[in-house]
Amino acid sequence: MALNFDGVTGSVSHGDITQMNGAAVLSWSFWLWVNVYLSQDALVCKGVGIGIVEGEATEVANSLALYMPTAASRTYSPANELVAGEWAHWGVIYNGGGATLPDKVKILKNGLNRTVSTLGVTPATFPAIGGTNLTVATDGAF
């Protein structure tokens, strides 16, 4: 599905995809153009902030992160991976059964695996947040 945001606050809801609740394996893939870097914008989320966000400037600036606040877990790409004025293809792969962090979360940029860092402990399953929609969102930064 291709989405085209017009630079004004907007989002597309895909409904409550219950298969994500408690899943041990998930993946996302998308093209991203950054106009302006704004701290911790949600790109793909389920519930309040669970999903893929821009890293906070105080943590890992201009990065992409898999954020699971109910598990107090954030996994980041390296700093300055998000570049204003650049198209990039991103992939995020979550495997809660992985033995080590690089096995649990992979973040790829243009097909290349990026070295990840984490805050907190990556859970064995994706947080089960029932009754919330999967949303692809923007606030004008993308």
Side-chain angles (χ1 to χ4, degrees):
M1 168 188 293
L3 303 175
N4 183 15
F5 294 103
D6 62 5
V8 179
T9 300
S11 65
V12 175
S13 174
H14 296 280
D16 182 10
I17 300 176
T18 58
Q19 293 86 346
M20 292 179 69
N21 298 334
V25 179
L26 291 169
S27 64
W28 299 264
S29 175
F30 51 91
W31 283 93
L32 180 65
W33 169 274
V34 178
N35 282 333
V36 177
Y37 176 77
L38 298 173
S39 182
Q40 206 173 14
D41 290 324
L43 305 176
V44 179
C45 62
K46 181 162 174 50
V48 180
I50 297 172
I52 301 167
V53 300
E54 286 185 89
E56 291 187 61
T58 57
E59 292 174 358
V60 181
N62 301 346
S63 66
L64 199 72
L66 177 59
Y67 179 42
M68 294 180 271
T70 55
S73 173
R74 294 183 189 191
T75 303
Y76 295 94
S77 69
N80 302 313
E81 289 280 325
L82 292 175
V83 179
E86 173 188 272
W87 275 107
H89 183 257
W90 290 90
V92 178
I93 302 166
Y94 166 74
N95 176 4
T100 65
L101 175 61
D103 298 326
K104 287 187 176 197
V105 179
K106 295 186 185 315
I107 298 178
L108 297 92
K109 180 180 180 185
N110 296 325
L112 300 175
N113 196 16
R114 312 309 299 152
T115 301
V116 297
S117 59
T118 192
L119 295 173
V121 177
T122 304
T125 60
F126 200 74
I129 307 293
T132 60
N133 293 338
L134 176 69
T135 303
V136 176
T138 183
D139 67 0
F142 303 98

